[in-house]
Amino acid sequence: MCIRDREGRLETHKIAWGLAYDTESETRELPKVKLEKATHLLHDEAYDYGNLYSTLRSWQELRGNQEFWTNVLPSITGVLRYTNKMLGLADESGRAVPKGTPQTKARTYLRAWNAVEMQRVLIDNTNEWAVKFTHPMVNGLELREVLALPSSRGKVVWTSGDATLDRVAAIDWTAKVAYSCSAQPIFERLRSLQSEADEEFNHLLERVEWDQLCTGKPAEPGEDRSLDPSPLTLEEEDRLIVALTELIAVVLLAALRREDWRGKIVLYAGDNKNVISWLDKRQAGNDLACFFLSLLSALEVTYGFRVYGLFWRTYHNVTADALTRVDVEGVLQAEGLESLSMKG
């Protein structure tokens, strides 16, 4: 046997460690057989909404596969923590038992189920497998490294946005388009979504005898209980609502510009540190923020772009700030911006 047969032929397309690499297109993807396996795994009844009797082994299997999927789907990294929370010590029957108080357990189950549903949506459309599960190899680099590549020239999209208790706005500077709309309908919908989430959480909490069902190891002193809801002061609640609204501004801009952002590197500059942190880590301690981050991830996977958050101070965010505070038409005209249709 010659060396070529033992070590492989010189080819531009090769499967290595379960991933298909293409050196001409500089991409890597999940082979079809791996995608079929992922489809069957995600639709296992162990992960169905309301199933409180799934085994620890099932969640461990899912977590191991998710780690592999992040090689081509880095956008789902933010939802892995919900699977992690399901990996507490099993009970005598082998059932998965999250740590923490009954409230923490119930919230852990809800978030884990919702995360699985999002992943099911991503993988169910087999016609888009080639798009959703093909990942540019350069995305394995840090942002500064990606921007330093000659091939990145022309792919960068600069955006910014702002939100107040009255208005929300966002700008695609590269395309010279922007929108500004009233925040009140968004706030009303946010409160409605939060009310629905609270009702769902309370229903789950009340219908299950958690102390009998979940007999696993209790939370240790000082353990991360970020999934537990914590009471907020009115001032904190207002800051959170503004942060959520600005995050929605980013997601709304992504939804409106999704087709034009295919294959792009989108840089969002904002003055809200919460939003920038959420975009950077792709996780949050708030249910609604987690929901919108998942929605953004779904848009990124489907349309092949990536949004990065960059913090800049308020005095640099002049135009986006003005779009939420003064005459919108005057600002658009002064900056040469076209009003973005909200119909997308």
Side-chain angles (χ1 to χ4, degrees):
M1 180 181 293
C2 66
I3 295 178
R4 183 182 61 183
D5 292 330
R6 291 200 306 266
E7 297 185 358
R9 298 175 182 274
L10 293 176
E11 299 170 315
T12 59
H13 189 274
K14 182 76 70 175
I15 294 180
W17 298 102
L19 295 174
Y21 288 81
D22 191 323
T23 57
E24 289 186 330
S25 62
E26 296 184 345
T27 59
R28 60 185 175 189
E29 61 184 14
L30 285 179
K32 184 177 179 181
V33 64
K34 294 287 186 181
L35 287 168
E36 291 173 346
K37 175 186 176 182
T39 302
H40 288 295
L41 178 61
L42 283 169
H43 286 82
D44 191 297
E45 63 180 9
Y47 316 115
D48 285 350
Y49 189 93
N51 185 355
L52 295 165
Y53 296 91
S54 54
T55 64
L56 175 60
R57 183 182 179 86
S58 293
W59 288 100
Q60 288 173 329
E61 181 181 4
L62 176 62
R63 182 61 180 83
N65 279 271
Q66 287 173 328
E67 190 68 32
F68 183 70
W69 300 338
T70 58
N71 289 302
V72 294
L73 280 176
S75 296
I76 70 168
T77 302
V79 305
L80 300 190
R81 65 191 297 251
Y82 309 136
T83 308
N84 293 341
K85 292 286 185 177
M86 294 296 298
L87 304 182
L89 295 179
D91 64 12
E92 295 179 354
S93 66
R95 184 171 49 201
V97 181
K99 296 180 181 179
T101 64
Q103 289 81 3
T104 303
K105 290 182 171 72
R107 195 167 294 275
T108 297
Y109 270 107
L110 284 173
R111 287 193 169 183
W113 292 331
N114 288 333
V116 168
E117 286 301 318
M118 189 272 284
Q119 292 166 80
R120 286 174 173 176
V121 170
L122 291 177
I123 206 167
D124 276 350
N125 189 347
T126 57
N127 293 328
E128 294 186 2
W129 275 1
V131 175
K132 293 180 181 177
F133 301 98
T134 300
H135 179 63
M137 286 187 280
V138 296
N139 285 4
L141 303 175
E142 296 291 334
L143 175 59
R144 291 183 180 182
E145 296 171 325
V146 173
L147 295 178
L149 295 174
S151 60
S152 295
R153 182 176 298 179
K155 293 183 180 180
V156 177
V157 175
W158 281 97
T159 68
S160 63
D162 192 40
T164 68
L165 293 175
D166 296 315
R167 296 195 70 78
V168 58
I171 307 167
D172 182 333
W173 287 104
T174 303
K176 302 292 286 185
V177 294
Y179 74 84
S180 177
C181 62
S182 172
Q184 289 308 310
I186 297 176
F187 288 158
E188 291 173 5
R189 185 55 181 156
L190 279 177
R191 293 188 178 98
S192 176
L193 286 172
Q194 187 63 66
S195 177
E196 293 172 8
D198 290 342
E199 183 178 350
E200 181 182 34
F201 169 72
N202 291 328
H203 175 68
L204 179 62
L205 192 63
E206 292 171 0
R207 75 180 179 88
V208 177
E209 294 292 337
W210 291 99
D211 291 334
Q212 297 179 20
L213 178 66
C214 296
T215 57
K217 182 181 178 182
E220 299 292 342
E223 180 184 329
D224 173 25
R225 294 192 177 188
S226 58
L227 294 184
D228 275 335
S230 55
L232 301 174
T233 65
L234 291 178
E235 182 180 357
E236 289 173 332
E237 185 176 1
D238 283 344
R239 285 203 300 266
L240 176 61
I241 289 177
V242 170
L244 284 171
T245 308
E246 185 165 331
L247 178 60
I248 292 173
V250 180
V251 178
L252 178 57
L253 183 63
L256 294 172
R257 301 291 298 158
R258 61 191 184 276
E259 290 288 355
D260 298 280
W261 285 1
R262 285 184 181 272
K264 301 295 185 180
I265 303 166
V266 182
L267 306 181
Y268 174 80
D271 57 13
N272 191 299
K273 290 185 177 180
N274 279 336
V275 175
I276 302 305
S277 176
W278 291 340
L279 291 175
D280 180 40
K281 298 177 180 177
R282 293 303 171 106
Q283 62 184 44
N286 178 270
D287 285 339
L288 289 175
C290 290
F291 169 76
F292 289 112
L293 287 173
S294 296
L295 182 57
L296 178 61
S297 294
L299 286 168
E300 290 175 325
V301 170
T302 303
Y303 293 93
F305 63 87
R306 176 73 175 180
V307 178
Y308 297 88
L310 303 174
F311 177 75
W312 63 359
R313 297 190 179 279
T314 302
Y315 52 77
H316 292 307
N317 202 27
V318 177
T319 306
D321 188 76
L323 284 174
T324 61
R325 291 171 172 81
V326 298
D327 177 57
V328 174
E329 292 301 325
V331 174
L332 293 175
Q333 184 175 1
E335 296 295 333
L337 297 171
E338 181 181 346
S339 180
L340 188 60
S341 172
M342 300 299 287
K343 295 181 180 180

